[in-house]
Amino acid sequence: MGNKRMKLKVRHYNVDTSEPTVLMNDSDCVELGVKENDRVRVEGKGVATALVSRTDSLVKPGNILMPSNTMAMSKVKAGDTVSVEYSPAPDSVRSIRKKMDNEILNKDEIHGVVQDILDNKLSKIEISAWLTSLYINGMCIDEIADFTTAMVDTGERVNFDRKPVFDFHSMGGVPGNKITPIVVSIVAAAGLMLPKTSSRAISSACGTSDFVETFCNVSLDSERLKEVAEKTGGALAWGGAMHLAPVDDLVIKIEHPLGINPRAQMLASILSKKLAIGAEYLLIDIPMGKGTKVPTLEIARTYARDFMDLGEKLGMHIECAITYADQPVGAAIGPNLEARECIRILEGAEHPSSVAEKACDLAGIILEMGGIRNGAQRAKDLLDSGEAMKKFREIVRAQDGNYDIKSDDLKPGMYMAEIKSPKSGYIHAINNKNIVTIARTAGSPNDKGAGIILHHKKGQRVEEGSVLFEIYADNETKLKRAIEAAERHNPVDIEGMLIRHVMAPNVMR
Amino acid sequence: MGNKRMKLKVRHYNVDTSEPTVLMNDSDCVELGVKENDRVRVEGKGVATALVSRTDSLVKPGNILMPSNTMAMSKVKAGDTVSVEYSPAPDSVRSIRKKMDNEILNKDEIHGVVQDILDNKLSKIEISAWLTSLYINGMCIDEIADFTTAMVDTGERVNFDRKPVFDFHSMGGVPGNKITPIVVSIVAAAGLMLPKTSSRAISSACGTSDFVETFCNVSLDSERLKEVAEKTGGALAWGGAMHLAPVDDLVIKIEHPLGINPRAQMLASILSKKLAIGAEYLLIDIPMGKGTKVPTLEIARTYARDFMDLGEKLGMHIECAITYADQPVGAAIGPNLEARECIRILEGAEHPSSVAEKACDLAGIILEMGGIRNGAQRAKDLLDSGEAMKKFREIVRAQDGNYDIKSDDLKPGMYMAEIKSPKSGYIHAINNKNIVTIARTAGSPNDKGAGIILHHKKGQRVEEGSVLFEIYADNETKLKRAIEAAERHNPVDIEGMLIRHVMAPNVMR
């Protein structure tokens, strides 16, 4: 049975929408048997498949309104005539329905959904239903493994000649987690290869790439990543410059407004990027603490088990480290401030430091995966001896940065405010989320000088009037707003005082 | 803390999108802290809240691309400058998240979601997540009752002076179900008032309004509905002409591409329209059979229980009738053909008939709800005596139709094909879905003459070469396509012959 078709005159509107759409008159839609959000096949010299919006007034019968992307696909210009007919939804919609019904999907079905999202064949409505179903009904480990390989197969791969490939990933959620350049430098200094790709902040204060780019170029394509890593043993690249598991970027746009990150999506997203660069040994850092993705040890252990089970299915050796994340890592939050603190540790100037300890512990696990005994001690030695710093300089130079980089090259923002303690006492808690809010309000991660420096951490004693933390910004307005944010979202809970419940203008000086 | 804002120059694109959107440059979005599918508040002389699409090329920094609906809301024209800032998602998104997490929502939360869908404040992504969550996690009876009243409260109401109000609803799914005018006429002839609102076909072959409009005006507003029903005791209106529970129409646009109709949504949708006209006594017809929404008795009973429980919560007396729906009701499918068969029964010409029996049984239940004893017999008497036909004429006249209407006024389409039996045997099944496909392909419900007349029903003996059914169409092309559809989707299963699995061109003459 052939579908109904009709000839319609093209009109143009000059904006691309994120999904291919056309606007048609109600009567033409009734004639074609097309309902709102159905698809039509629009044939000119080329063919476009587009979602239909219906109107009883904006388009006259016999006409079709097309945005430029749909016009380009069907190779027509305004005034041309196109042939339009109902087009069924792609098969992947059936797979989405199955997941709604809590059925297990096979490899082909999962691949179909991933490919169709990537090819812009699924509408926002359908992707939202997919993610909501994943969030509610979840996936079993076999499905997540298939999901991971589907994400890899639909993207770029990097094939290293030097082997094996070590890799490292932090699940994030804890501010100030500037350990990556230290870990990479230590591991590379030990003679292993760790071509690290990182992300920028989505909702956090500062992603690894956000602060690494303050001292070198992070936009490496896959060729450059290979070159830098095979030469130096390390790399500090921004993953977004490559097309590893590119469907992830599209999915994030739909996850974000729903405020969800389904477990299956998160696991597949992390592992696909590692699989795409051929990682054989992978360490996952699972920061656990209030206000992070992993608030309890039970959840942390579940993630660890998931990662290790998936590693087995995917042929990757995965180990996990559950780390302390009840407060920021180290003292600095924000691009230049984190870069400075990170490099100071490599320079040997800031020992003892929780940042150095965490970095050496994690690097140590990677060294042991690579057959090096007493990994943590070896890592510490490489840091203390300056060999890690030397390796760091090599990597920075390979990524177009200055070999002679010094921590003091990284400058805090021009505008600064000190936030002082309204009373004496012990610091009971530092709220990660509020720290992020203040840092972002100050301009982080886009304003490179913006951020926070904590003067005290959890458990420490502070006296009335002593500085709790400093806020830095690149312009005055943002500093003022960040101060206001600090008033509203007090991040430092001092024992015995319900500062959280008080709008205390006298907190400020 | 104030949100970030910026001044942007307006550009215009001349199409309305279904949800208010704006297109902004990436760098401006980063500056405002706005991600794809976040909302911004756009202030000109007025204020619009719109979803953001981001681009790195289509809009230059400092500009904002706005469709006409967003421009109208913010009261600006091209070239004006607007103030733009991040706008948080409405509170109802939190309620959607709660439903994703399978929590029970309270009355205010449910009302918030319904109101925000109606006010176009929720995006397609969010509405899709809502419906997917409803589909998977469902609602308890208390929630559905709140959902129902929320749908009523956000729409129009009709307040009848004449009381009580009786009503009737068929869950549908069975083709040829032309009983409504007969039921309404009988009930009204018995002195009760049943102001029936019906729908048009969405995916079925022919809705009640699709065939009633072949002989009278169905587009009554609520004033006219009141007038017609209070005068005649009946009405045969199209619900879509009023704004009873208007959110339903918006939700259907999102449900449709997902192919779902969550139970909670379906129940609330049906009952809200009845509650909005003040129905006190309601009969629900639950057609049960293969290829309908209700394939088994167990499911039918669950629906019946739901309806009755809801009736109790909502203060409506609800009874349910589970009816036979394994094959079409009566012989005719399609607007004119159904109208003709329906009126023939009112004329007394087509007894005995399964349509007449079903209509009298259902009307009888309504009469008994109204305190009339031996309802089914009384209904049959009113039909046989011609009183129902007289009442029907009154209703038709009140709705601008011809009082002297005759069944033969309704003409089948000009083009007809007979589909004949390829062998002798007993009819084992008639497939409702295939009947619908053929009737729609022939042009039903928009081409009023299009449709099908079945010559035999389930269980009957047919001889080789005898006519199984006729297809009617208003034009030759559609008739040909419908014949092809009949070949592909054979609706009549004759015992002992796997006609379903055979592409049998010799089925056709």
Side-chain angles (χ1 to χ4, degrees):
Chain A
M1 175 184 67
N3 284 309
K4 294 184 198 178
R5 270 171 198 255
M6 57 170 61
K7 301 279 178 186
L8 298 173
K9 195 171 164 191
V10 175
R11 288 178 53 207
H12 173 239
Y13 65 92
N14 62 346
V15 66
D16 272 36
T17 49
S18 56
E19 41 192 8
T21 53
V22 292
L23 189 64
M24 291 170 60
N25 185 278
D26 276 332
S27 64
D28 289 339
C29 291
V30 166
E31 180 65 25
L32 288 179
V34 169
K35 288 176 270 294
E36 182 93 16
N37 295 316
D38 268 342
R39 290 167 173 82
V40 285
R41 185 177 183 278
V42 182
E43 189 177 344
K45 289 185 204 93
V47 172
T49 302
L51 296 164
V52 175
S53 287
R54 292 173 55 157
T55 172
D56 60 359
S57 58
L58 292 165
V59 183
K60 285 189 192 137
N63 290 278
I64 184 167
L65 219 56
M66 298 171 69
S68 31
N69 58 357
T70 316
M71 286 181 77
M73 278 186 272
S74 52
K75 293 188 185 152
V76 290
K77 56 185 195 307
D80 284 356
T81 295
V82 289
S83 176
V84 180
E85 64 181 311
Y86 170 79
S87 173
D91 287 348
S92 54
V93 172
R94 267 204 292 272
S95 307
I96 295 172
R97 275 298 306 275
K98 280 179 84 168
K99 188 42 77 186
M100 281 191 205
D101 288 329
N102 204 13
E103 291 179 37
I104 305 271
L105 301 185
N106 68 32
K107 197 182 173 89
D108 288 345
E109 289 166 334
I110 292 169
H111 196 284
V113 173
V114 170
Q115 187 72 58
D116 284 350
I117 293 174
L118 194 65
D119 293 346
N120 213 3
K121 284 188 182 164
L122 287 170
S123 69
K124 288 178 183 175
I125 292 170
E126 289 151 352
I127 299 172
S128 173
W130 167 248
L131 292 170
T132 304
S133 302
L134 279 194
Y135 178 79
I136 300 175
N137 289 333
M139 273 184 167
C140 67
I141 288 293
D142 280 322
E143 286 177 292
I144 300 174
D146 289 337
F147 195 14
T148 306
T149 52
M151 285 176 72
V152 174
D153 292 344
T154 50
E156 204 175 331
R157 280 168 184 273
V158 187
N159 295 306
F160 287 94
D161 294 317
R162 181 173 163 184
K163 287 185 175 150
V165 177
F166 291 83
D167 210 341
F168 162 61
H169 178 84
S170 176
M171 280 182 67
V174 55
N177 192 31
K178 59 205 62 79
I179 58 168
T180 294
I182 309 171
V183 172
V184 170
S185 300
I186 292 172
V187 171
L192 307 180
M193 184 179 73
L194 201 169
K196 180 78 175 93
T197 59
S198 302
S199 57
R200 297 187 194 280
I202 294 175
S203 55
S204 70
C206 179
T208 295
S209 292
D210 292 315
F211 81 82
V212 172
E213 72 180 353
T214 63
F215 54 80
C216 68
N217 171 30
V218 296
S219 291
L220 312 183
D221 60 19
S222 50
E223 292 277 300
R224 283 290 312 277
L225 176 72
K226 188 168 185 284
E227 205 176 285
V228 170
E230 292 189 342
K231 184 174 159 201
T232 68
L236 295 165
W238 172 50
M242 283 153 272
H243 296 93
L244 313 173
V247 74
D248 210 34
D249 297 335
L250 301 175
V251 166
I252 285 168
K253 292 182 183 179
I254 311 290
E255 283 182 335
H256 166 68
L258 298 175
I260 59 172
N261 186 3
R263 165 179 159 274
Q265 177 69 43
M266 195 203 65
L267 295 168
S269 161
I270 292 170
L271 293 181
S272 58
K273 284 166 186 164
K274 304 310 182 187
L275 202 58
I277 65 158
E280 291 164 76
Y281 297 90
L282 172 62
L283 173 65
I284 306 271
D285 168 26
I286 305 177
M288 181 196 82
K290 281 173 213 146
T292 72
K293 290 174 206 167
V294 184
T296 69
L297 188 59
E298 197 192 338
I299 296 175
R301 283 190 175 138
T302 304
Y303 276 121
R305 175 53 53 205
D306 285 346
F307 276 116
M308 289 189 288
D309 288 348
L310 279 167
E312 216 163 283
K313 302 262 175 209
L314 296 167
M316 242 191 275
H317 181 88
I318 298 181
E319 295 195 16
C320 295
I322 298 170
T323 56
Y324 178 75
D326 247 359
Q327 63 178 350
V329 178
I333 293 99
N336 285 356
L337 298 173
E338 292 194 39
R340 189 174 68 173
E341 186 180 16
C342 169
I343 298 171
R344 278 188 183 159
I345 289 162
L346 284 161
E347 289 168 346
E350 288 219 352
H351 292 199
S353 143
S354 62
V355 182
E357 268 170 49
K358 181 173 176 181
C360 289
D361 285 346
L362 294 180
I365 296 171
I366 298 170
L367 297 188
E368 298 205 349
M369 283 201 274
I372 296 170
R373 288 180 176 246
N374 296 321
Q377 186 55 51
R378 179 85 178 103
K380 203 170 176 315
D381 294 344
L382 288 164
L383 182 59
D384 291 344
S385 68
E387 286 178 75
M389 182 66 193
K390 185 164 169 286
K391 184 52 78 179
F392 175 73
R393 290 182 190 281
E394 283 174 30
I395 296 167
V396 169
R397 182 174 55 193
Q399 293 188 198
D400 313 323
N402 176 13
Y403 185 86
D404 297 319
I405 183 170
K406 291 186 302 292
S407 57
D408 287 343
D409 297 345
L410 282 304
K411 303 293 184 199
M414 293 276 288
Y415 298 85
M416 194 268 272
E418 293 178 342
I419 307 297
K420 296 185 179 172
S421 180
K423 69 161 276 178
S424 302
Y426 289 90
I427 294 178
H428 183 255
I430 298 184
N431 182 303
N432 287 329
K433 279 193 181 164
N434 291 351
I435 289 288
V436 171
T437 300
I438 297 163
R440 288 187 70 99
T441 306
S444 182
N446 298 304
D447 297 352
K448 293 304 182 191
I452 292 171
I453 293 193
L454 297 168
H455 281 221
H456 296 280
K457 301 288 290 278
K458 207 170 142 177
Q460 290 180 355
R461 166 117 194 138
V462 292
E463 301 306 322
E464 184 182 338
S466 65
V467 176
L468 291 174
F469 57 94
E470 299 163 346
I471 306 176
Y472 288 87
D474 287 350
N475 80 56
E476 206 172 348
T477 311
K478 290 184 185 177
L479 181 67
K480 278 185 187 159
R481 286 201 188 134
I483 294 169
E484 289 164 20
E487 284 176 13
R488 284 197 191 209
H489 305 283
N490 169 51
V492 181
D493 184 0
I494 298 165
E495 177 197 43
M497 207 205 144
L498 292 172
I499 183 173
R500 190 181 302 267
H501 295 199
V502 181
M503 284 294 168
N506 66 328
V507 176
M508 310 303 309
R509 290 289 149 93
Chain B
M1 174 185 66
N3 284 309
K4 293 184 197 175
R5 265 170 203 257
M6 54 172 59
K7 302 276 178 188
L8 298 172
K9 194 172 163 193
V10 174
R11 288 178 54 209
H12 173 239
Y13 65 94
N14 62 346
V15 67
D16 271 36
T17 48
S18 56
E19 41 193 10
T21 53
V22 292
L23 189 64
M24 291 171 59
N25 187 277
D26 275 333
S27 65
D28 289 340
C29 290
V30 167
E31 180 66 26
L32 287 181
V34 170
K35 288 176 271 297
E36 181 93 15
N37 294 318
D38 268 343
R39 289 168 174 80
V40 285
R41 185 178 183 277
V42 182
E43 189 177 344
K45 290 186 203 91
V47 173
T49 303
L51 296 165
V52 175
S53 288
R54 292 173 56 156
T55 172
D56 60 359
S57 59
L58 292 165
V59 182
K60 285 189 192 137
N63 290 280
I64 184 168
L65 216 55
M66 298 171 68
S68 31
N69 58 356
T70 317
M71 288 182 76
M73 277 186 273
S74 53
K75 291 184 186 156
V76 291
K77 56 184 193 306
D80 284 356
T81 296
V82 289
S83 176
V84 180
E85 65 180 313
Y86 170 80
S87 174
D91 288 348
S92 53
V93 172
R94 268 204 292 273
S95 307
I96 295 173
R97 276 299 307 275
K98 281 179 83 168
K99 188 42 77 185
M100 280 191 205
D101 289 328
N102 205 12
E103 291 179 38
I104 305 273
L105 302 184
N106 67 30
K107 195 182 174 89
D108 288 345
E109 290 167 332
I110 292 170
H111 196 284
V113 173
V114 170
Q115 186 73 56
D116 283 350
I117 293 175
L118 193 66
D119 293 346
N120 213 4
K121 284 188 181 162
L122 287 170
S123 69
K124 287 178 185 178
I125 292 170
E126 290 150 352
I127 300 172
S128 173
W130 166 248
L131 292 170
T132 304
S133 302
L134 279 194
Y135 178 79
I136 300 175
N137 289 333
M139 276 185 165
C140 66
I141 288 292
D142 280 323
E143 287 177 292
I144 301 175
D146 289 338
F147 195 13
T148 307
T149 52
M151 286 176 73
V152 174
D153 291 346
T154 50
E156 203 176 331
R157 280 167 185 273
V158 186
N159 295 305
F160 288 94
D161 294 316
R162 182 175 163 182
K163 284 183 177 148
V165 177
F166 290 82
D167 209 343
F168 163 61
H169 179 83
S170 177
M171 282 181 66
V174 54
N177 193 30
K178 61 206 56 87
I179 58 167
T180 294
I182 309 171
V183 172
V184 170
S185 300
I186 292 173
V187 171
L192 307 180
M193 185 180 73
L194 201 169
K196 181 76 177 88
T197 60
S198 302
S199 57
R200 295 186 196 278
I202 295 174
S203 55
S204 70
C206 179
T208 295
S209 292
D210 293 313
F211 82 82
V212 172
E213 71 181 353
T214 63
F215 55 79
C216 67
N217 171 31
V218 297
S219 291
L220 311 184
D221 61 20
S222 50
E223 293 276 300
R224 283 291 310 279
L225 176 71
K226 188 167 185 284
E227 205 177 285
V228 170
E230 293 190 341
K231 185 174 155 201
T232 68
L236 294 165
W238 172 49
M242 283 152 272
H243 296 92
L244 312 174
V247 76
D248 208 35
D249 297 336
L250 302 175
V251 165
I252 284 170
K253 292 182 184 178
I254 312 291
E255 284 182 334
H256 167 67
L258 299 174
I260 59 172
N261 186 3
R263 167 178 157 274
Q265 177 69 42
M266 195 203 65
L267 294 169
S269 161
I270 292 170
L271 293 181
S272 58
K273 284 167 185 165
K274 303 310 181 186
L275 203 57
I277 65 158
E280 290 164 75
Y281 297 90
L282 171 63
L283 172 65
I284 307 269
D285 168 25
I286 305 177
M288 180 197 83
K290 281 173 211 145
T292 73
K293 290 174 206 166
V294 184
T296 68
L297 188 60
E298 197 192 337
I299 296 175
R301 282 189 175 138
T302 306
Y303 275 120
R305 174 53 53 207
D306 286 346
F307 276 115
M308 289 189 288
D309 287 350
L310 280 167
E312 217 163 283
K313 301 263 177 211
L314 296 167
M316 239 191 278
H317 179 87
I318 298 182
E319 295 195 15
C320 294
I322 299 171
T323 56
Y324 178 74
D326 247 359
Q327 63 177 350
V329 179
I333 293 100
N336 285 356
L337 298 174
E338 292 194 39
R340 189 175 66 171
E341 186 179 18
C342 169
I343 298 171
R344 277 188 184 160
I345 288 161
L346 284 160
E347 289 168 345
E350 287 218 351
H351 292 198
S353 143
S354 64
V355 181
E357 268 170 48
K358 181 174 176 182
C360 287
D361 284 348
L362 295 179
I365 296 172
I366 299 170
L367 297 190
E368 297 204 351
M369 285 201 272
I372 296 170
R373 290 183 175 240
N374 297 320
Q377 186 55 49
R378 178 85 178 105
K380 201 167 177 315
D381 293 346
L382 287 164
L383 182 60
D384 291 343
S385 69
E387 285 178 76
M389 181 66 193
K390 184 164 170 285
K391 183 53 77 177
F392 175 73
R393 291 181 189 280
E394 283 174 29
I395 296 167
V396 169
R397 182 172 57 194
Q399 293 187 199
D400 313 323
N402 177 13
Y403 184 85
D404 296 318
I405 183 171
K406 289 185 302 291
S407 56
D408 288 342
D409 296 346
L410 282 308
K411 303 294 184 198
M414 293 278 286
Y415 297 85
M416 192 269 271
E418 293 179 342
I419 307 296
K420 296 185 181 173
S421 180
K423 70 161 276 180
S424 301
Y426 286 90
I427 294 178
H428 182 256
I430 298 183
N431 183 303
N432 287 330
K433 280 194 180 161
N434 291 351
I435 289 287
V436 171
T437 300
I438 298 164
R440 288 186 70 100
T441 307
S444 183
N446 299 303
D447 298 352
K448 292 305 181 189
I452 291 171
I453 293 193
L454 297 168
H455 281 220
H456 296 281
K457 300 290 289 280
K458 205 169 142 178
Q460 290 181 355
R461 165 114 196 142
V462 291
E463 302 306 322
E464 184 183 336
S466 65
V467 176
L468 291 174
F469 57 93
E470 298 163 348
I471 306 175
Y472 288 88
D474 286 351
N475 79 58
E476 206 172 347
T477 312
K478 290 186 185 176
L479 181 67
K480 279 186 187 157
R481 286 200 187 132
I483 294 170
E484 287 164 23
E487 284 176 14
R488 284 198 190 209
H489 306 282
N490 169 49
V492 181
D493 184 0
I494 298 165
E495 177 198 41
M497 207 202 144
L498 290 173
I499 184 173
R500 191 180 302 266
H501 295 199
V502 181
M503 284 293 168
N506 67 327
V507 176
M508 311 304 311
R509 288 292 148 92

